[in-house]
Amino acid sequence: MRDWSFELKHFGVGLVVLAAIFWGVSGGLAGILMERDWDPLVISFYRGAVGLVCLFIWMLFRTRYYSYGSLRKMLFWSLLSGIGVTGNFSFYFVSISHSGVAIASTLMYTAPIFVFIISFILKMEKATTFKVVAMLIVMGGIGLLTGVYQNGLGQLNILGIVTGLLSGLSYAIFIFGFNYALKYGEPPAILSTALLAFTLILLPFIDRGQAVSVLFSEDIFMFIVLGLIGAGISFFFYVKGLRNTLPSVASVVAMVEPVTASLFGVLVLGQFLNPTQIAGMVIILITITILTTKKTE
């Protein structure tokens, strides 16, 4: 029998890249489904629900690694991760429906900024000049990307921008919860618990009639693919790749996600950005990448 774990460890960076590409494409697929009049929250629900099935199967094959240390603490931090995933998936797709894939994915990529802000508030890190300047540069990039400098506040798509930033904040919450949960359990159990929480949290807020109609629609295959690449297989690849990839390298590689999503938006959905918006996107991506790379050195 082939030792897949031995073979996978030699492709750490490649697996992280593949996961990031999958996440980027999932944003594009969500955009296509929205153009077919599917509700963003229903799309988000199926992304997480299909991912839950995949991760639960992974967990079943890792029964001896369910948890170690404090089960209560693992569950607490896993549930916090689930809250983060719920906000990240849902706000991201709502932002796509109002501002487009490129802008939504770039705003979500501001998550490291929120990580630093939360760390400052909790006194886990000190505010350095470098970090403060980086945050100000990112804010300037957001201004260019969203068009506030050209059109003024009155012309902004406030809902698209706010939900895009909230998706980044939610992603930061997921990062905190997941990292702390890893002290008490293995990724399959943590992610399965997080996505179970996601499913239960989001269920009361979705259009359940439309959610049921997905099962009988011609788009069901696309929903399944979205869940597979957006939460199931991608999480598996990311966790496996991250174990054999330097954090600084993983931080740079993560930029593949918004770039992939933006290209999908342009090439498939015809969502073009003007030169000023492109400049804002580049400023945000480069600054965040430098910030997270310096953080992990």
Side-chain angles (χ1 to χ4, degrees), residues 1-280:
M1 186 174 179
R2 301 181 69 177
D3 186 353
W4 290 104
S5 61
F6 176 79
E7 294 186 15
L8 286 174
K9 74 178 184 179
H10 296 290
F11 301 97
V13 176
L15 291 174
V16 174
V17 170
L18 191 57
I21 291 174
F22 280 172
W23 288 330
V25 172
S26 69
L29 291 178
I32 293 176
L33 289 170
M34 289 173 205
E35 290 187 344
R36 298 182 180 182
D37 296 326
W38 293 106
D39 185 82
L41 292 184
V42 171
I43 298 170
S44 175
F45 178 80
Y46 271 93
R47 178 184 181 182
V50 174
L52 172 61
V53 173
C54 296
L55 293 169
F56 183 73
I57 293 172
W58 181 20
M59 188 179 72
L60 289 179
F61 285 97
R62 299 285 300 275
T63 52
R64 65 184 184 279
Y65 296 126
Y66 270 16
S67 68
Y68 49 84
S70 172
L71 176 61
R72 181 178 299 178
K73 290 182 179 179
M74 189 202 82
L75 290 176
F76 172 79
W77 290 111
S78 297
L79 291 174
L80 182 63
S81 297
I83 294 173
V85 169
T86 304
N88 176 241
F89 285 7
S90 303
F91 287 131
Y92 178 41
F93 287 167
V94 172
S95 181
I96 287 176
S97 69
H98 288 275
S99 60
V101 176
I103 292 177
S105 61
T106 305
L107 291 176
M108 184 181 66
Y109 194 65
T110 60
I113 292 294
F114 291 107
V115 171
F116 287 125
I117 292 174
I118 294 173
S119 298
F120 297 154
I121 294 174
L122 298 179
K123 298 182 179 180
M124 298 170 62
E125 293 188 30
K126 294 182 179 180
T128 65
T129 301
F130 172 78
K131 293 174 182 176
V132 172
V133 170
M135 291 180 187
L136 292 175
I137 292 174
V138 169
M139 291 176 63
I142 292 174
L144 293 174
L145 178 67
T146 57
V148 65
Y149 293 139
Q150 291 180 314
N151 304 319
L153 292 174
Q155 299 297 319
L156 289 180
N157 189 323
I158 300 297
L159 183 58
I161 295 170
V162 171
T163 51
L165 293 172
L166 285 175
S167 72
L169 174 60
S170 300
Y171 190 23
I173 294 173
F174 166 75
I175 292 171
F176 265 100
F178 183 70
N179 286 339
Y180 276 102
L182 285 175
K183 297 179 180 180
Y184 308 103
E186 287 288 317
I190 295 168
L191 292 172
S192 295
T193 303
L195 287 180
L196 177 60
F198 159 89
T199 304
L200 296 177
I201 293 170
L202 194 59
L203 186 59
F205 299 98
I206 65 173
D207 182 336
R208 287 185 285 278
Q210 190 180 84
V212 172
S213 68
V214 169
L215 301 174
F216 306 98
S217 74
E218 60 182 14
D219 293 325
I220 180 63
F221 178 73
M222 190 176 297
F223 275 96
I224 294 174
V225 171
L226 173 64
L228 287 174
I229 69 173
I233 299 174
S234 56
F235 273 139
F236 174 79
F237 284 161
Y238 184 73
V239 170
K240 289 292 184 180
L242 200 61
R243 287 180 172 177
N244 300 283
T245 305
L246 292 174
S248 57
V249 175
S251 299
V252 176
V253 166
M255 194 173 67
V256 172
E257 179 182 355
V259 171
T260 301
S262 299
L263 289 175
F264 193 105
V266 171
L267 299 177
V268 179
L269 301 175
Q271 299 175 350
F272 294 96
L273 300 177
N274 61 44
T276 302
Q277 290 177 306
I278 294 174

